[in-house]
Amino acid sequence: MTNNTNTALADVLRHSFGFSTFKPNQQHIIESWLSGTDVFAALPTGGGKSLCYQLPALIRDGLTVVVSPLIALMKDQVDAARENGIPAACLNSSQDADTARAVWRELAAGKLKLLYVSPERLAGDDFRSALVDFGATAFAVDEAHCVSEWGHEFRPEYRSLSSLREIFPEAPIAAFTATATRVVQDDIISHLGLHDPVVVRASFNRPEITYRVRRKTKVESQILSFVREHEGEPGIIYRSTRKSTEKTAESLRQYGIDAHAYHAGLDDTVRSDVQERFVRDELQIVVATIAFGMGIDKSNVRWILHGDLPKSLEGYYQETGRAGRDGEPAEALLLWGGQDIAIIRRHIENMQIREEQTAAEGRVREVLHYVEGRVCRRTALLAHFDETFPGQCRACDICLNELAFDDATVPAQKLMSAAVRTGEVFGTHHLVDIVTGTATDKVLERGHNTLPTFGVGEDRDRGYWISLARDLESGGYLLRRQTDTGLPGGLMLSSRGKLLLRGKETFTVLRREGVPAESSGTHGAPDKAPLRRDQQDLFRCLKALRKTLARERSVPPYVIFSDKTLRVMVKNRPTDSQALLRCHGVGDRKLEAYGEVFLRTIRNYLTTGQCE
Ligand code: ADP
Ligand code: ZN
């Protein structure tokens, strides 16, 4: 690419989007695609995918078609694009005939640069030939993992996309996804028939999110105290059952907190109303089963709280990824307890297909490894995406040194000694029976009640020993024997375990009682100081103004300006257009549309200390 093209891209970025620099990989993706090459891009949620196809659409001749499965989201995307001055529209089954006709007219008149369509739409022959007539010159496939049966969201209608390449041999295709495993990547490339694509795999790190994991003690009050620390900040609470979403929402409402449940059992109208109000900043908290969030493009979600152990790390990461998409600090708190494991295991036992069971077991083990781990949460999460992260992130409970550990070398030796004395073939519960001096039939039959280790751990409860055994296993001190049946076998000592048994190593466990469930209140991510009180007042004024404008225009508030833009305004206090233009997220178009009212509000606040 020449310097000229570079400058041209930077100009469009500045003037249409109001951003001064590209996010990682955006420029590479845009340049490759514009040069006519196919592109495969795996970017994390919040990585800025939309810009990767919106910006080129402005530069390229002809029409850019975006395939997106999320009909609910299309309108917001179109609104956002239009706000930035991009002639965009969408066609999908949820529109009325008049609206669709208007879009067709615009297409025929060659007025559109960007068209969002659902995959079902694109499958029709008539529609495809119309696109040929309307001069479609490039295709972007969003959520491209939906094409893969290996992905967690396979959609049969995505399969029809495989003929795009033949019908539009000249149009470069760019595939975007937030699922980064290699199998899915290969599947996407082969099904879409991407020709020698430029492959971009971004880092999945989300530095703005602070991750914390806590044991459940009293879940409702832990949730309440977390929510109180995040007064007025939009957030999502995930619970594993419909009943618990309602219970949590109800108990928050009793304390005057604005929360609503969301799950598949609710009426469609209730669901869309909850979603709508949340997106428009009119509802602070949604308490949801996993059914919520996928179709939501709300950039100012400030926190995600999981009230139960998630079923997979992939799902957990996608869910936490819904916070902080505007790049501002956000928090993820996961609460879990032994009870959760039992519930998930029961669910797995009920699965009919053996392979599914095994896969689900594997996923639970990965989650447990994560919650019980002692390494930087980021390192552990990114390892799941085949990414190496060095640790010391300064934005997780481990790196912030928030967790208290107790020495457990002696108890660990007691438990391991029970394993050794019984031939290293028994599982957790039997070993725990022995150390706690529980004379079960199995213990008595084998004479394990006569071992010197029988009852040496009576001073602690069963829960302690079970979680100790689990810690030893996830720490690699105890290993599971492989069995022919595929079922988990007994526990044996690793070489590290033997060192620990001989006192050559020490072992610590997470302190169970008295660990505060609250976050540190620092807002987590480094370098992002919380707003001062006076700044918060101005922030509130600007948010209120944004909400009014959004309501007038029937768009979500963040489409007007993101939280990040408002924060920059609060810090810079611009009082003229030039200064406002220097604020992140303010381009020519938005200056024209909103500059005056925002400047007036800021000036007014500076002189009177009032909103208006
Ligand atoms: P994704 O679809 O990958 O989850 P989005 O396209 O919604 O991500 O972008 C996430 C956020 O990042 C949006 O608020 C968007 O405006 C912002 N963004 C995108 N590109 C840039 C950039 N170059 N500089 C600053 N912010 C950006
Ligand atoms: Zn860390």
Side-chain angles (χ1 to χ4, degrees):
M1 281 277 145
T2 62
N3 274 340
N4 274 346
T5 341
N6 272 339
T7 332
L9 291 186
D11 270 357
V12 181
L13 184 68
R14 174 75 265 193
H15 290 286
S16 295
F17 296 89
F19 300 141
S20 50
T21 50
F22 283 105
K23 287 197 173 197
N25 301 298
Q26 281 181 328
Q27 188 166 0
H28 181 39
I29 293 169
I30 290 172
E31 286 175 353
S32 310
W33 196 30
L34 277 176
S35 74
T37 328
D38 287 346
V39 175
F40 168 88
L43 300 182
T45 308
K49 284 186 279 289
S50 334
L51 188 122
C52 293
Y53 48 77
Q54 291 182 350
L55 191 151
L58 275 176
I59 295 181
R60 202 194 295 276
D61 287 334
L63 178 71
T64 297
V65 178
V66 182
V67 186
S68 163
L70 307 170
I71 293 182
L73 206 146
M74 274 187 204
K75 192 178 165 295
D76 287 350
Q77 286 254 354
V78 169
D79 288 344
R82 287 202 173 240
E83 284 295 321
N84 283 328
I86 304 168
C90 62
L91 282 173
N92 62 50
S93 52
S94 73
Q95 281 165 323
D96 59 52
D98 281 347
T99 316
R101 254 196 302 278
V103 174
W104 283 110
R105 268 199 301 277
E106 282 188 301
L107 278 171
K111 284 192 181 150
L112 293 180
K113 297 299 292 175
L114 192 64
L115 179 70
Y116 287 82
V117 295
S118 56
E120 297 87 324
R121 257 304 156 104
L122 203 54
D125 287 339
D126 289 352
F127 189 75
R128 290 174 176 210
S129 49
L131 283 183
V132 176
D133 294 345
F134 295 141
T137 45
F139 288 86
V141 180
D142 206 359
E143 315 289 344
H145 57 275
C146 294
V147 84
S148 168
E149 278 166 25
W150 294 103
H152 56 301
E153 284 157 354
F154 172 58
R155 301 208 177 202
E157 55 294 2
Y158 257 64
R159 282 298 164 87
S160 68
L161 297 179
S162 58
S163 51
L164 268 188
R165 184 28 81 246
E166 291 151 36
I167 303 167
F168 298 90
E170 302 294 323
I173 301 177
F176 297 92
T177 176
T179 300
T181 58
R182 304 276 169 173
V183 215
V184 174
Q185 172 179 327
D186 293 346
D187 239 16
I188 293 173
I189 293 176
S190 96
H191 281 298
L192 295 181
L194 300 190
H195 185 69
D196 213 359
V198 167
V199 173
V200 178
R201 294 175 58 88
S203 166
F204 271 61
N205 188 17
R206 297 284 310 277
E208 60 280 0
I209 301 178
T210 297
Y211 300 93
R212 292 189 169 86
V213 178
R214 293 286 188 275
R215 291 275 184 149
K216 270 193 223 181
T217 46
K218 288 183 188 129
V219 69
E220 299 297 349
S221 62
Q222 285 173 295
I223 292 176
L224 179 66
S225 81
F226 179 89
V227 165
R228 281 191 164 147
E229 275 188 30
H230 294 265
E231 197 190 324
E233 296 179 0
I236 305 172
I237 299 171
Y238 287 106
R239 307 272 351 230
S240 60
T241 64
R242 295 175 184 185
K243 222 167 99 194
S244 49
T245 59
E246 296 192 345
K247 194 165 158 227
T248 299
E250 181 56 45
S251 88
L252 288 175
R253 274 200 301 272
Q254 277 174 7
Y255 288 94
I257 293 160
D258 188 20
H260 207 291
Y262 182 104
H263 56 71
L266 293 174
D267 231 41
D268 275 359
T269 50
V270 177
R271 279 219 311 258
S272 60
D273 178 61
V274 169
Q275 171 158 336
E276 190 88 334
R277 285 196 293 131
F278 183 62
V279 167
R280 296 188 193 289
D281 282 356
E282 289 163 12
L283 169 68
Q284 189 203 343
I285 298 169
V286 173
V287 191
T289 51
I290 44 163
F292 184 79
M294 163 79 179
I296 290 216
D297 183 16
K298 178 177 163 75
S299 71
N300 65 338
V301 175
R302 293 271 66 86
W303 52 267
I304 305 283
L305 191 161
H306 282 75
D308 307 286
L309 195 71
K311 293 193 181 67
S312 77
L313 219 50
E314 166 97 31
Y316 175 68
Y317 202 63
Q318 300 288 357
E319 282 152 20
T320 54
R322 289 170 191 149
R325 294 174 69 157
D326 52 9
E328 290 292 285
E331 292 196 31
L333 173 66
L334 192 169
L335 301 174
W336 73 286
Q339 199 61 22
D340 297 344
I341 308 173
I343 292 170
I344 296 181
R345 288 254 150 82
R346 213 156 35 228
H347 176 73
I348 293 176
E349 275 160 26
N350 288 335
M351 289 180 163
Q352 300 300 324
I353 304 167
R354 185 57 192 266
E355 288 75 43
E356 277 182 16
Q357 261 183 347
T358 320
E361 269 290 345
R363 287 195 290 265
V364 177
R365 263 202 299 281
E366 205 186 10
V367 173
L368 284 175
H369 202 80
Y370 173 72
V371 295
E372 295 179 330
R374 317 283 177 79
V375 295
C376 165
R377 304 287 182 200
R378 229 174 215 92
T379 303
L381 287 167
L382 291 172
H384 172 81
F385 295 98
D386 296 326
E387 197 176 324
T388 316
F389 182 83
Q392 296 297 337
C393 74
R394 292 196 291 148
C396 79
D397 50 4
I398 305 277
C399 296
L400 291 169
N401 253 326
E402 292 175 354
L403 303 181
F405 291 96
D406 288 327
D407 183 73
T409 309
V410 172
Q413 289 167 335
K414 288 178 179 168
L415 194 76
M416 289 194 296
S417 146
V420 170
R421 284 173 189 277
T422 52
E424 298 180 74
V425 293
F426 291 96
T428 311
H429 284 277
H430 189 70
L431 299 179
V432 171
D433 286 338
I434 296 172
V435 291
T436 53
T438 314
T440 63
D441 290 349
K442 192 167 163 186
V443 167
L444 296 174
E445 266 165 36
R446 291 165 209 253
H448 290 162
N449 51 330
T450 60
L451 293 172
T453 36
F454 185 77
V456 287
E458 273 170 343
D459 53 333
R460 295 173 197 271
D461 68 11
R462 198 174 174 80
Y464 174 87
W465 290 103
I466 288 177
S467 83
L468 175 67
R470 202 175 296 122
D471 283 0
L472 287 167
E473 198 185 334
S474 54
Y477 295 87
L478 286 175
L479 304 174
R480 280 254 167 224
R481 281 187 189 277
Q482 293 300 318
T483 61
D484 300 339
T485 58
L487 293 171
L491 291 168
M492 55 189 255
L493 273 61
S494 68
S495 43
R496 239 186 129 182
K498 287 175 191 150
L499 289 177
L500 177 56
L501 185 60
R502 280 191 262 126
K504 304 256 189 255
E505 272 207 35
T506 56
F507 188 72
T508 56
V509 292
L510 190 59
R511 185 170 305 159
R512 292 167 81 210
E513 279 117 332
V515 182
E518 307 80 50
S519 61
S520 66
T522 57
H523 280 267
D527 313 325
K528 305 252 173 146
L531 294 173
R532 296 190 311 265
R533 162 141 284 152
D534 57 320
Q535 293 178 320
Q536 279 172 10
D537 286 342
L538 178 54
F539 191 48
R540 258 194 292 277
C541 295
L542 297 183
K543 279 212 284 200
L545 171 61
R546 176 176 70 171
K547 199 157 162 180
T548 314
L549 293 171
R551 208 174 289 144
E552 280 166 17
R553 303 185 149 232
S554 313
V555 295
Y558 59 81
V559 163
I560 310 262
F561 284 125
S562 68
D563 276 16
K564 175 159 186 164
T565 300
L566 297 191
R567 281 173 76 101
V568 173
M569 286 186 195
V570 166
K571 291 196 169 146
N572 294 2
R573 307 181 158 200
T575 49
D576 60 46
S577 318
Q578 281 318 308
L580 193 59
L581 260 182
R582 280 194 297 273
C583 293
H584 165 103
V586 186
D588 298 346
R589 171 75 184 220
K590 290 202 174 166
L591 178 71
E592 196 189 313
Y594 310 117
E596 209 171 303
V597 273
F598 274 86
L599 286 172
R600 195 166 59 228
T601 304
I602 295 168
R603 281 195 220 109
N604 186 58
Y605 178 82
L606 292 179
T607 42
T608 65
Q610 306 284 325
C611 281
E612 197 79 68

